[in-house]
Every structure is written in C-alpha cells, then in structure tokens.
Amino acid sequence: ELRKTIVNFVTGQGYIGDRELLRGDLFDVIELRGGDRMKGTLKEPSYTLETFYGKVELPVERVIALMNVGDFRPRQLIVTVDGEIFGGRLAKDTLAMELSSGQTTQVPLSQVTRFGYRKRPNEPEEWTFDKPFMMMRIGDRVAVAMPEQPIDVATRYGVLKVDPKTIAAIVFQSEEHGVHEVRLTDGSRFAGLVSATQFDMTLAGAGPEGQVVKFPVSGISRMQFVAEPEEIDEETTPTLRLANEDMLVGTISGQLKLDTAFDTLTVEGGQIRKLAHASDAGLDVQVTLWDQSIVSGQLQEPQVQVALRSGLVISIPVALIETYDQPEPQPASTMVEKIKETVGRLNAEDWKERDRAAAQLTEMGPIVAPVLKSMRDAQPPEAQQRIDQVLSAVAGAKGAAAAAPTSAVE
C-alpha cells in the first residue's frame, strides 16, 4: 500500500496494472481470501485455460503467477515468465500444493486470491515487449507471430494497406483520438479505423506452438509488433505535420505545379526545404527551396504525394497540411553534378587536389549532405574518410548557424 502512494517508485515486473504479483522466495506461495498464506511446492503439471479466444494450455515452467479477479464470477489471470497475461477460466477447480511437511493438499481455486512461484534462475530481469503481442481491454497480453497480410486502415487519405513489418503499434484505445492510431516504425503516426472485425493470430509465446486464435477488434486495446521507435531527430528527419495532429516521417515526392503571380513554376518535391500552409489559405502555400529561395503561390493539384521512410506512399490533401520540413533537401540536378564531380577529385593522385576538393565541398555547405551520404559507400577508404570529415564540418556549421542569435534591423 505504501509503494502505491509513492509516485516515482520503480515497480519493475512486480505489478500487472495496479495489482501486485505474489512471488515466493524459498517456496511457492498461495494467498487465500481470508488472508492466510500457504508455502510449499505447487505440483500442477500444466494449466489449461478456457479464454474467449480459445483453449490455451500453459506449461508450468513458463508460469510465474496467477491472480483471481472479479467478485461474482472470478476469472484467472495467469502471468508467464515473458510477461504474457492469459485470462479465462481454469479447467481444474483446485490447486495441488506439497507443504513443507511433505503433505499434499488440494486448495480450492475459489478460495485463492493469488499465487506465485519462487523465482527461477532463468527469468529475464525485465520484460522487453519487443516482439509482436496483443493487449486486450480486459487485461490479457499475448505474444503472437508477425502477421503476413497487409492491414487495411481507413484514413482521411483513403484506405491504406499497411505492411505489418512497417507497423510499430496500433492503439485501439487512443487518448488523443476517438478512432484508432497507427504508429509506424519510422516514427509516423496517423489516425484511422482498422477495417477488420477480428484478427486470426498464431500464438508465439507460452501457449501451444502454432495454435491459431481469433481476437475480435472490439476487445483489443493495443496491437504491438516491434518496440516503440525512439524520438525522431527533427534536425535531420523530414516531417509533415497535419491539421488533424497526424505526423508523417517522409518526403514530398513527384513534381508540384505552383501558380505564382508571375509564372507557373515546376517544383521537384525532393528539392523542397519547407512548405507552409495556413488553415484558411485553400491551396495557397509558401515554398522554401533547397537554395533558400522562397516562392508563394497556389498549387494546381489539391493533393501532394508523400513517400514515408517505411515505404508507404500517401496522397495528402493540401488543406490538411500545416508544415513540411526537410532539413536535407536534394539539390537541383546541376548542383548534384557539380558535387559528384568534386567527389571524384577526392580520389586524385595529387594530395593537394584531394585537399582542394574536400575544402570546396565544405564551402558548399549543408546542401551537400544528402548527395555525399548517397555516394559514400561506393568510394574508396580515403575518400570515405574525407566525406565523413566534410559531413561533420557542414553539420557543425549548420548547428552553429541555428544557435546564433538573430539581430533586429532598424
């Protein structure tokens, strides 16, 4: 009770939600409804549990604890060594325990509040949850195999077929949206509705190997396939922020036709550094190009194509765009050729020529970064080393420029 009142107390693996797991030290332990505790050795060979997604048999070596939840028709939550939680009704109404005296007794399950095994030497220090699992609204947490078929998600950008390998998690109980939230491995997140009514999943943890169970979408709280991605570095990562609070990690692709006050300009999506759009501006946008040129006008098309880092390509309505930032835009083709020619001189026989080429690349500034990164692996070792030095120098200059205070002009 005291630990529950301390906000920053590290609970680790000792809790499931606000319920504390019971574990033994030298013996297994059973806690009864009246408060009594019995210590000894649990003698159950396995646990057969009838769940709402099918019958599951759990081997005893994978089970670490059990809790009885509910007052009228209690159900059992069985916790495994990997942090899985299976909820349902045990097929057996008693638990066999050998007491320290050597006597074996059958403890009625109806009298048990919880039990726990003594800690085993092969238990992990913490549960990582870096493999696919399903978290249900009633508390179950079940490891599953990675699904193979795309998952259909209805969004404001149309129905998307999302490869499960690109999904970090789908949150079905989102605090920010009244719908589902899809989080991708590249850091993107967007709201939508998963169109499936149930998922047929293969158990991959403590349950029977290869068993297929059916999870209704209405009962799922969260579906996670990989560990949550780290926070993105917005100084190097292209991002598109939308009016509905979605954020996409990727680049604008294709060509944009921009009607300005003086002409219609063709803008390559990869060359855009920034794109700003006001909520009441219709199709009017302000575009900052790779060389810091700024042009304003109206886009001819009501949508832009965005290629996410995860490989998904989405058509985004211009009306939903707030800001697009690409810290490392692609230079124009003439500039790319100049950079490539200069990189070629990093392999010159004369070391002075190699030094001059490296200095010229550094003088070009941060715009050389995306081209150098794409060419680096194909260069010989010395050229790779010089490219790394140039990238470090232009990154430092970019950071210094960003940190420099701005002065007012009277």
Side-chain angles (χ1 to χ4, degrees), residues 73-119:
R73 296 188 63 185
R75 61 193 293 266
Q76 288 77 51
L77 294 181
I78 295 183
V79 184
T80 73
V81 68
D82 295 321
E84 291 184 86
I85 306 171
F86 293 87
R89 291 284 299 173
L90 282 176
K92 190 179 176 185
D93 294 330
T94 59
L95 297 171
M97 170 171 270
E98 181 182 305
L99 303 178
S100 55
S101 63
Q103 178 183 349
T104 299
T105 183
Q106 296 289 331
V107 183
L109 187 61
S110 60
Q111 297 300 312
V112 174
T113 57
R114 54 184 179 160
F115 75 66
Y117 284 89
R118 70 199 75 176
K119 188 160 184 174

Side-chain angles (χ1 to χ4, degrees), residues 13 35 39 46 50 56 84 105 110 124 146 180 210 216 245 270 287 289 293 299 308 336 364:
Q13 298 183 179
K39 294 185 178 182
S46 64
E50 191 66 48
V56 177
E84 291 184 86
T105 183
S110 60
M146 177 72 78
H180 309 150
E245 300 184 357
V287 178
L289 299 176
S293 298
L299 292 175
L308 304 188
V336 171
M364 293 179 190

Side-chain angles (χ1 to χ4, degrees), residues 53 134 144 178 244 280 282-283 322 330 345 353 361 366 381 387:
Y53 41 85
M134 307 288 283
V144 295
N244 59 350
D280 58 349
L283 299 179
E322 284 191 346
Q330 190 75 15
R345 290 192 281 117
E353 182 65 19
L361 289 171
I387 287 174

Side-chain angles (χ1 to χ4, degrees), residues 334-353:
T334 54
M335 188 66 177
V336 171
E337 291 304 318
K338 183 177 180 179
I339 295 172
K340 289 182 176 180
E341 184 274 330
T342 309
V343 170
R345 290 192 281 117
L346 293 176
N347 301 317
E349 294 184 1
D350 187 352
W351 65 269
K352 294 181 180 179
E353 182 65 19

Side-chain angles (χ1 to χ4, degrees), residues 330-393:
Q330 190 75 15
S333 57
T334 54
M335 188 66 177
V336 171
E337 291 304 318
K338 183 177 180 179
I339 295 172
K340 289 182 176 180
E341 184 274 330
T342 309
V343 170
R345 290 192 281 117
L346 293 176
N347 301 317
E349 294 184 1
D350 187 352
W351 65 269
K352 294 181 180 179
E353 182 65 19
R354 298 197 296 270
D355 284 351
R356 281 194 293 269
Q360 289 174 359
L361 289 171
T362 304
E363 290 173 359
M364 293 179 190
I367 197 61
V368 302
V371 182
L372 292 184
K373 290 177 181 178
S374 66
M375 297 181 64
R376 181 190 181 282
D377 292 344
Q379 305 303 312
E382 183 182 351
Q384 289 185 4
Q385 183 178 3
R386 288 179 177 271
I387 287 174
D388 291 340
Q389 293 171 350
V390 172
L391 289 173
S392 178

Side-chain angles (χ1 to χ4, degrees), residues 36 57 60 98 104 108 145 184 229 252 285 288-289 323 333 361 389:
D36 293 348
E57 185 166 342
V60 67
E98 181 182 305
T104 299
L184 301 184
I252 294 178
V285 296
T288 303
L289 299 176
T323 58
S333 57
L361 289 171
Q389 293 171 350

